[in-house]
Amino acid sequence: MTDIPEQLIEHLRSAAKVVVSTGAGVSAESGVPTFRGKDGIWNKMSPQELASVDGFMANPELVWDWYQYRRELMNKVEPNPGHEAICKMERLFDNFVLITQNVDNLHQRAGSSNIIELHGNATRNKCFSCNELFEGDINLKDKLPHCHCGGMIRPDVVWFGEMLPERAIQNAIKSAEEAEVFFSVGTSAMVQPAASLPLIARQAGAFVVEINIESTSLTNIADIFLQGLSGEVLPHLIAELT
Ligand code: APR
């Protein structure tokens, strides 16, 4: 079990604002495949084909089916102790923000509420043409559902090459600037602008902690690198704190 340095406990005890930023690794122990690394989704499938506007325009049924497959998987899995520990952190600290790149809705199901969804949420859909939002399941009368405006309906997630929701990225940058302790958990730190958030936090004076099973490009600038499974390290951190 990874030791929690006393220095981190001290920083957390006095921190006015704590921010946690998560990637796919935090859901790996729930059984949701990550995108990169061993068994990563992008090792077998093409992000351009399945997670880009061009890919959707070229083959909307394929992209829609892939997201239906991922949504069925998301409905079959449960939040893991890492998600639950982050939910406890929200109650432990007066000023806590969770930023996530994940679209699997597992943080929400674990009970986290103050969440900035940087890349959207795959439980929601929107019209490709008029952007109308569709919460919850869509009854699939036909292979590819269409909006009343005639546009195709797509998952409400950010695809490669698309801009992030303006409010989400502004709030995330503001939270990183205000953080006294900033956690980067389960992300390869390879996709912008999420990968810049820990750097912004560090430059603003935050104590930066990385939790990952392996080092990343962020490891060298983090104040502390806790190598281990987020579903084990985070509950251990909570136990040390409470
Ligand atoms: N505990 C902690 N870290 C883990 C665990 C675990 N149990 N399992 C895997 N990891 C780490 C891996 O070492 C890797 O660094 O999680 C990271 C997952 O990296 P990616 O698969 O690249 O996921 P992420 O960083 O979230 O990708 C960012 O890329 O494809 C886009 O939009 C997609 O939001 C995604 C973005």
Side-chain angles (χ1 to χ4, degrees), residues 22-30 33-38 40-42 47 51 67 70 80 100-103 119 158-160 185-192 194 210-216 226 228-233:
T22 63
V26 81
S27 296
E29 291 155 84
S30 294
T34 59
F35 294 99
R36 299 171 186 82
K38 195 168 71 63
I41 292 174
W42 299 145
Y67 276 90
R70 286 181 69 197
N80 67 61
T100 189
Q101 298 173 81
N102 300 342
V103 298
H119 294 168
V158 177
W159 279 332
F160 284 102
V185 185
T187 179
S188 58
M190 288 172 70
V191 173
Q192 295 297 353
E210 180 180 39
I211 298 175
N212 201 310
I213 52 174
E214 59 189 16
S215 60
T216 69
L226 299 177
L229 297 166
S230 49
E232 291 179 4
V233 173

Side-chain angles (χ1 to χ4, degrees), residues 73-188:
L73 172 67
M74 283 159 47
N75 291 333
K76 284 187 195 133
V77 300
E78 296 297 327
N80 67 61
H83 295 108
E84 288 152 7
I86 291 169
C87 184
K88 288 188 183 123
M89 289 175 84
E90 186 168 333
R91 292 195 289 269
L92 263 180
F93 300 107
D94 296 340
N95 193 337
F96 178 87
V97 174
L98 169 60
I99 302 166
T100 189
Q101 298 173 81
N102 300 342
V103 298
D104 57 29
N105 208 46
L106 288 176
H107 283 304
Q108 294 82 345
R109 287 174 55 196
S112 289
S113 53
N114 191 2
I115 305 178
I116 297 174
E117 296 176 334
L118 277 187
H119 294 168
N121 187 313
T123 60
R124 289 192 306 266
N125 293 287
K126 67 182 179 184
C127 175
F128 191 65
S129 302
C130 72
N131 267 328
E132 178 167 345
L133 261 188
F134 296 83
E135 298 283 348
D137 290 339
I138 289 181
N139 56 330
L140 288 178
K141 286 188 298 298
D142 54 7
K143 196 83 169 102
L144 183 72
H146 282 73
C147 176
H148 48 75
C149 80
M152 293 184 288
I153 292 178
R154 54 163 284 183
D156 183 24
V157 298
V158 177
W159 279 332
F160 284 102
E162 288 191 303
M163 297 293 286
L164 274 66
E166 186 57 32
R167 229 155 65 91
I169 191 59
Q170 291 309 330
N171 289 343
I173 290 169
K174 184 169 177 290
S175 295
E177 287 168 341
E178 294 168 352
E180 288 188 19
V181 180
F182 186 100
F183 287 85
S184 176
V185 185
T187 179
S188 58

